[in-house]
């Protein structure tokens, strides 16, 4: 049997991580793990409870009493929070604009990383996030850091919103994406950063098929 490796895909908001991670996982029949969904699920629950997002103690109490399951679904990954599906709820603009404040806390990250490492214990995973290559799976056989200009990323999200029939403001999206990147890259604990041994792919002028092809080449080289 072929070796089942771990593939880490990191990068800033809306760089295309989950889109390509899902396709690569399907092609290899690996498990896809969207770690951003875990931070989003905690943020959603904390907001529902009226928790202060600057209180690490309160957030870790909530997280310790929270189950977050990621399951393969017909339209991609399903997210269950305490057994209830929240796949769409965690994509609201309220959660999107608050999640980075939850993700700064060291104890929250420690618990999330522990859970993420448990998901990956047997290999055969494609995991995307911000700190996968640097902290969650430092020994991943393939590490990719996806980039694209903020204009391109905002435009992609704008097109996606319009296709889904959601209201969308391109300039606002650009500002929100840049603000999230700033918090994620400047936080003290496990900031968004390319791992030294990650391969950087600037996707600004690449298609999804191009990007998947490049990651598959890296993966197949390691699988042998
Ligand atoms: N290379 C590409 N060319 C054009 N569009 C792309 C490309 N890659 C991804 N997209 C589109 O860009 C949008 C954002 O992609 P995606 O949701 O995968 O980003 P992400 O990095 O996972 O975002 P986030 O970090 O916010 O979860 C989607 O609509 C996706 O279809
Ligand atoms: N490994 C990760 C993954 C995500 N985050 C934080 O969650 C936010 C939402 O992530 P998406 O991928 O769903 O957009 C992200 O902006 C980070 O604040 C993280 O810290 N580490």
């Amino acid at each position: 049997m072929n070796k089942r490796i771990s593939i880490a895909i990191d990068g800033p908001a809306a760089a295309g991580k989950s889109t390509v991670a899902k396709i690569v996982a399907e092609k290899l029949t690996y498990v896809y793990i969207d770690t951003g969904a875990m931070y989003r699920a905690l943020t959603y629950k904390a907001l529902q409870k009226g928790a202060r997002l600057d209180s690490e103690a309160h957030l870790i109490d909530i997280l310790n009493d929270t189950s977050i399951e990621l399951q393969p679904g017909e339209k991609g990954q399903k997210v269950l929070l305490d057994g209830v599906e929240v796949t769409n709820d965690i994509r609201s603009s309220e959660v999107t604009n608050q999640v980075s404040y939850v993700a700064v806390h060291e104890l929250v990250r420690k618990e999330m990383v522990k859970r993420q490492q448990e998901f990956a214990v047997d290999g055969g995973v494609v995991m995307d996030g911000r700190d996968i290559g640097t902290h969650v799976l430092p020994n991943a056989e393939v590490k990719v850091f996806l980039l694209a200009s903020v204009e391109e990323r905002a435009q992609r999200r704008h097109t996606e919103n319009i296709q889904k029939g959601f209201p969308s403001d391109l300039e606002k999206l650009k500002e929100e994406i840049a603000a999230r990147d700033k918090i994620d890259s400047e936080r003290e604990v496990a900031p968004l950063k390319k791992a030294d041994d990650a391969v950087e792919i600037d996707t600004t002028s690449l298609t999804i098929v191009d990007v998947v092809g490049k990651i598959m080449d890296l993966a197949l080289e390691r699988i042998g």
Side-chain angles (χ1 to χ4, degrees), residues 7-11 130 132-134 137-138 140-147 193-201 218:
I7 302 177
I9 303 183
D10 289 301
R130 302 293 187 290
I132 310 306
T134 51
L137 303 176
E141 287 85 351
V142 173
K143 295 186 187 177
V144 173
F145 195 78
L146 286 190
L147 285 171
K193 186 174 172 287
K194 176 185 158 316
D196 292 340
D197 52 351
V199 175
E200 184 173 300
I201 304 177
L218 294 168

Side-chain angles (χ1 to χ4, degrees), residues 11-20 32 34 40 91 128 130 146 152-153 156-157 159-160 163 180 203-204 206-209 211:
K17 302 180 297 297
S18 58
T19 304
V20 296
Y32 163 56
D34 171 2
R40 284 173 181 272
R91 304 279 152 199
D128 88 77
R130 302 293 187 290
L146 286 190
E152 172 68 18
R153 289 184 281 134
R156 289 176 184 173
R157 197 60 100 202
T159 307
E160 179 186 340
Q163 279 169 354
R180 196 144 63 97
T203 74
T204 308
L206 297 179
T207 65
I208 293 171
V209 173
V211 182

Side-chain angles (χ1 to χ4, degrees), residues 147-222:
L147 285 171
S149 69
V150 71
E151 288 75 18
E152 172 68 18
R153 289 184 281 134
Q155 182 60 57
R156 289 176 184 173
R157 197 60 100 202
H158 184 58
T159 307
E160 179 186 340
N161 287 342
I162 289 170
Q163 279 169 354
K164 288 180 176 166
F166 297 159
S168 192
D169 175 335
L170 180 59
E171 279 313 307
K172 199 162 161 229
L173 274 174
K174 210 186 292 178
E175 281 166 24
E176 286 171 357
I177 286 174
R180 196 144 63 97
D181 287 351
K182 183 168 159 56
I183 304 172
D184 290 343
S185 349
E186 292 183 355
R187 68 176 174 234
E188 280 178 21
V189 190
L192 164 67
K193 186 174 172 287
K194 176 185 158 316
D196 292 340
D197 52 351
V199 175
E200 184 173 300
I201 304 177
D202 185 340
T203 74
T204 308
S205 15
L206 297 179
T207 65
I208 293 171
V209 173
D210 292 334
V211 182
V212 168
K214 284 179 184 289
I215 300 174
M216 284 300 293
D217 286 347
L218 294 168
L220 294 174
E221 233 173 70
R222 298 308 301 263

Side-chain angles (χ1 to χ4, degrees), residues 12-185:
K17 302 180 297 297
S18 58
T19 304
V20 296
K22 239 177 272 174
I23 301 173
V24 170
E26 261 170 36
K27 284 184 180 287
L28 295 170
T29 55
Y30 279 14
V31 176
Y32 163 56
I33 297 161
D34 171 2
T35 61
M38 298 172 71
Y39 290 94
R40 284 173 181 272
L42 173 62
T43 305
Y44 176 74
K45 183 165 173 178
L47 288 170
Q48 279 199 324
K49 284 180 162 291
R52 283 187 49 178
L53 303 188
D54 60 356
S55 168
E56 182 173 51
H58 197 177
L59 289 171
I60 194 66
D61 275 354
I62 296 174
L63 181 56
N64 285 336
D65 189 33
T66 297
S67 100
I68 302 171
E69 291 164 77
L70 305 177
Q71 294 180 351
E74 272 172 33
K75 291 191 210 147
Q77 182 187 254
K78 258 173 48 174
V79 183
L80 303 187
L81 174 65
D82 297 325
V84 177
E85 183 169 1
V86 292
T87 313
N88 296 328
D89 309 81
I90 62 169
R91 304 279 152 199
S92 71
S93 53
E94 191 189 12
V95 172
T96 301
N97 292 329
Q98 299 295 320
V99 59
S100 292
Y101 297 105
V102 169
V104 296
H105 298 292
E106 185 168 16
L107 293 178
V108 167
R109 300 201 70 81
K110 210 171 158 196
E111 174 61 21
M112 289 296 194
V113 169
K114 189 178 121 225
R115 295 185 190 194
Q116 291 155 6
Q117 288 173 337
E118 283 165 7
F119 287 141
V121 78
D122 295 324
V125 291
V126 184
M127 192 178 278
D128 88 77
R130 302 293 187 290
D131 60 340
I132 310 306
T134 51
H135 288 84
V136 181
L137 303 176
N139 298 322
E141 287 85 351
V142 173
K143 295 186 187 177
V144 173
F145 195 78
L146 286 190
L147 285 171
S149 69
V150 71
E151 288 75 18
E152 172 68 18
R153 289 184 281 134
Q155 182 60 57
R156 289 176 184 173
R157 197 60 100 202
H158 184 58
T159 307
E160 179 186 340
N161 287 342
I162 289 170
Q163 279 169 354
K164 288 180 176 166
F166 297 159
S168 192
D169 175 335
L170 180 59
E171 279 313 307
K172 199 162 161 229
L173 274 174
K174 210 186 292 178
E175 281 166 24
E176 286 171 357
I177 286 174
R180 196 144 63 97
D181 287 351
K182 183 168 159 56
I183 304 172
D184 290 343
S185 349

